[in-house]
Amino acid sequence: MMTRVVLLFVAVLLAACAGARMPSYEQQLATMKSRLLVLVEEERDRAGAKSLRLDPQLVAAAQAHSDDMARKRSFDAMNPDGNLAVNILLRDPRFGGFVAENSAAQYFTPAAGLDPEAMARGFLQIWLASPGHRHNVVYSQFDRAGIGIAVNGNAVYAAAVFATDLGLSAPR
């Protein structure tokens, strides 16, 4: 009797595992973006900085920059066209503000999959280890942000764009 119960339990467990699917890269990247924003907010809160709101214009610029880094497998420092995220914003006459950008890459083993939590924590730690990038994360006047993440092969590229209008009126 006990053997049947154990076998039935194992069969149910295996059936449940067979039906479970790994989240897609898109889902994992969306989770990673959300976690990274939460971790940045927690760091800003510890530093006494303003809370950030996601800005669609900054999200688009950060994502374009992440996609560009992934496509070229390089950072903006190695890109002859400069920092795509900042260039996109500065070309837009509607953008009024002071802007900063952080970028980083991490590697993973594709067969093992992505760990969105570990990757988000890793990106934040990379930025906090650099004085300039840490300043961007905790600069008290930034009140808007956008985060982009892209994958190419075994590398994940992340960009965060922070901005504030410094209390100035919007450009016309």
Side-chain angles (χ1 to χ4, degrees), residues 50-128:
K50 291 180 183 177
S51 184
L52 297 170
R53 70 176 169 81
L54 276 179
D55 180 302
Q57 190 177 22
L58 300 180
V59 170
Q63 190 59 55
H65 186 46
S66 295
D67 291 339
D68 186 59
M69 289 187 298
R71 188 173 35 262
K72 295 176 180 174
R73 291 184 150 287
S74 72
F75 291 102
D76 55 275
M78 297 179 270
N79 186 344
D81 302 324
N83 184 313
L84 183 64
V86 173
N87 291 344
I88 287 170
L89 294 171
L90 295 180
R91 280 192 299 255
D92 186 344
R94 295 170 299 152
F95 178 76
F98 175 64
V99 64
E101 177 270 346
N102 288 359
S103 58
Q106 294 184 79
Y107 297 94
F108 70 105
T109 304
L114 289 170
D115 181 343
E117 178 69 23
M119 293 293 252
R121 288 186 181 284
F123 284 124
L124 181 64
Q125 290 310 309
I126 290 167
W127 293 337
L128 293 178

Side-chain angles (χ1 to χ4, degrees), residues 3 11 24 116 148 157:
T3 304
S24 68
Y157 296 83

